[in-house]
Amino acid sequence: MLTHIVSFAASGVGAGLGIGIGGGLGALGAGVGIGIIFGKVIESVTRQPEMRDEITSIQWLGFALTEACFFYGLVAGLLSYVLK
Amino acid sequence: MSNTRKLFYGITGFYLFGIALLVVIFGFGHKNNSFQIQNEFKLINWVHLGVFSINRAVVYLFIAAILTIATMVWIANRMQQRPNKVQTAVEVLYSLMRDNITRGNMDDSLAAKWFPFLGALFLFIWYSNLIGYLPLPTNSQEKFNILGAHIPSFALYAATANISVPLVLAAVVFVVFNWEGIRSQGPIGYIKSLIPSGVSGGILLLIFPLEVISTFMRLLSLTIRLFANILAGHMIILFMAGGLAVILGLTFLGWFTLPFGILIYLFELGLVATLQAFIFATLAAIYIGGAVTHH
């Protein structure tokens, strides 16, 4: 069993798998986060329409910070591809 | 049937017809390993000066810097009492940089001191990101021939797509906010301010290293956020606009993915370039403002 795992790891197949897992899990987390942010923005603008501009500027900040987490995952995957 | 519906069916029909035609004419090819996506972002030195060699990233940096300074100084020298459209736009930009980014995150004396830095940071990164979506003749690996002159091919490349540029900008911001913290609270006071209030005793041993690591993580996260956003955008545009079709050898795939490529190009140009510059400057302001407050 252990030799199977080691030979799989040494075969270089893991490189492509690394990008796939990194990108996939990153997109999962970022998708959930961005959905929550925009959902909350919609809720709060419905409650208080006069606060729309302030909330919009906080919304873009939150969106970019959450999207960055997807890129952390992607870069980790790319690192695994480069390091094999 | 209304005109819009006819237009919609016409365009969809043309799109599907094109795919079918390409499948019939060219069929399914085979994988092509000679196209390497890394070569699109390779930097070739045109003038060899050791570490200061001039390659296309250096040229882009110079263009961004000269363009920023030239346009802003030109507009500032032509200001009138009754602003025209360009001046109004620049005034909106100025208000965004001063009130939203700088004044919104630090107190007034610090804002007056650091506003030129944050404004220049925002404008430089914004211009750098935007010219990355302008095709310029910089790909000297594949030259094309016009009237006997060998001109490098037109290519999309952004200076911020190379990890060095965001790294240096983030390093400058890191030095700045740490220096502000040490200057305002003294070295011991600044290190003490890393610890949240109300923490004492044994749990300090756990919290303090985490706080130090998270301060260093700011450098890394600023770099990776800007670099990966711009690089990933360029790579997706490359793949969708024909890269995937070349790698897989399927001609119809190029026709199929081209609309997505155009959409991603517009999305990146319109939203991501500006947003990433805004985020970098805002986070720099938050870090500077946060380094001065006592917890």
Side-chain angles (χ1 to χ4, degrees):
Chain A
M1 168 83 170
L2 205 56
T3 53
H4 275 285
I5 296 178
V6 169
S7 70
F8 174 77
S11 68
V13 170
L17 218 65
I19 299 187
I21 292 183
L25 289 180
L28 178 74
V32 171
I34 295 176
I36 291 180
I37 287 180
F38 279 85
K40 292 290 181 188
V41 165
I42 294 176
E43 264 180 40
S44 33
V45 166
T46 316
R47 281 176 192 243
Q48 281 194 297
E50 67 268 11
M51 296 285 286
R52 187 179 189 153
D53 288 330
E54 269 191 55
I55 295 182
T56 304
S57 100
I58 302 178
Q59 164 204 317
W60 288 123
L61 181 66
F63 164 74
L65 287 173
T66 314
E67 180 133 33
C69 293
F70 164 64
F71 289 111
Y72 299 159
L74 197 65
V75 164
L78 281 173
L79 261 176
S80 95
Y81 176 72
V82 166
L83 297 176
K84 289 210 172 20
Chain B
M1 226 196 283
S2 71
N3 269 340
T4 323
R5 195 168 285 254
K6 272 194 235 174
L7 186 67
F8 174 67
Y9 282 154
I11 292 182
T12 317
F14 176 63
Y15 180 60
L16 294 171
F17 173 70
I19 296 180
L21 194 68
L22 287 173
V23 173
V24 164
I25 297 181
F26 291 103
F28 301 92
H30 50 90
K31 267 184 90 156
N32 178 357
N33 281 326
S34 60
F35 175 67
Q36 299 283 343
I37 197 76
Q38 299 95 293
N39 290 342
E40 295 292 321
F41 296 97
K42 203 161 150 186
L43 294 178
I44 307 214
N45 289 334
W46 296 330
V47 178
H48 295 267
L49 299 168
V51 189
F52 300 101
S53 302
I54 303 204
N55 50 34
R56 61 174 163 171
V58 177
V59 171
Y60 268 85
L61 283 176
F62 270 109
I63 294 178
I66 293 174
L67 211 58
T68 321
I69 299 175
T71 49
M72 290 297 144
V73 167
W74 190 81
I75 291 173
N77 280 339
R78 270 164 187 66
M79 300 193 81
Q80 301 144 4
Q81 281 285 49
R82 300 238 189 97
N84 55 7
K85 275 194 231 156
V86 175
Q87 184 177 331
T88 317
V90 174
E91 283 180 7
V92 167
L93 206 64
Y94 185 85
S95 157
L96 174 81
M97 292 191 292
R98 196 187 57 167
D99 300 325
N100 195 332
I101 297 182
T102 317
R103 286 246 194 95
N105 295 308
M106 49 177 94
D107 58 44
D108 283 343
S109 67
L110 216 54
K113 185 173 168 193
W114 288 109
F115 166 66
F117 171 64
L118 290 169
L121 195 65
F122 171 71
L123 284 175
F124 179 68
I125 298 180
W126 189 35
Y127 272 70
S128 248
N129 288 347
L130 282 179
I131 31 181
Y133 295 106
L134 197 64
L136 292 177
T138 57
N139 188 353
S140 57
Q141 287 174 288
E142 321 258 341
K143 299 198 180 178
F144 66 101
N145 213 331
I146 280 195
L147 305 172
H150 289 273
I151 308 179
S153 321
F154 282 79
L156 289 180
Y157 183 76
T160 29
N162 189 343
I163 195 161
S164 342
V165 174
L167 184 62
V168 163
L169 294 169
V172 170
V173 169
F174 186 73
V175 165
V176 160
F177 84 79
N178 279 321
W179 184 71
E180 267 298 315
I182 295 181
R183 186 193 63 86
S184 77
Q185 297 173 50
I188 312 292
Y190 178 56
I191 294 185
K192 272 203 200 147
S193 81
L194 287 180
I195 307 164
S197 61
V199 171
S200 61
I203 205 162
L204 208 61
L205 229 56
L206 200 60
I207 297 271
F208 185 68
L210 280 176
E211 288 289 328
V212 171
I213 290 178
S214 95
T215 308
F216 277 93
M217 269 302 292
R218 290 178 175 182
L219 174 64
L220 210 61
S221 79
L222 273 178
T223 311
I224 298 275
R225 188 179 295 116
L226 180 57
F227 160 67
N229 258 294
I230 304 297
L231 183 73
H234 277 264
M235 282 183 82
I236 295 180
I237 294 174
L238 265 172
F239 276 125
M240 290 288 133
L244 210 55
V246 167
I247 291 179
L248 296 176
L250 304 169
T251 315
F252 72 90
L253 198 60
W255 177 279
F256 176 64
T257 56
L258 187 63
F260 302 113
I262 297 177
L263 282 171
I264 297 274
Y265 179 83
L266 292 172
F267 170 68
E268 294 279 325
L269 184 64
L271 188 67
V272 174
T274 318
L275 190 63
Q276 288 309 313
F278 172 71
I279 288 294
F280 200 98
T282 305
L283 281 171
I286 292 177
Y287 294 156
I288 296 177
V292 181
T293 58
H294 307 260
H295 276 288

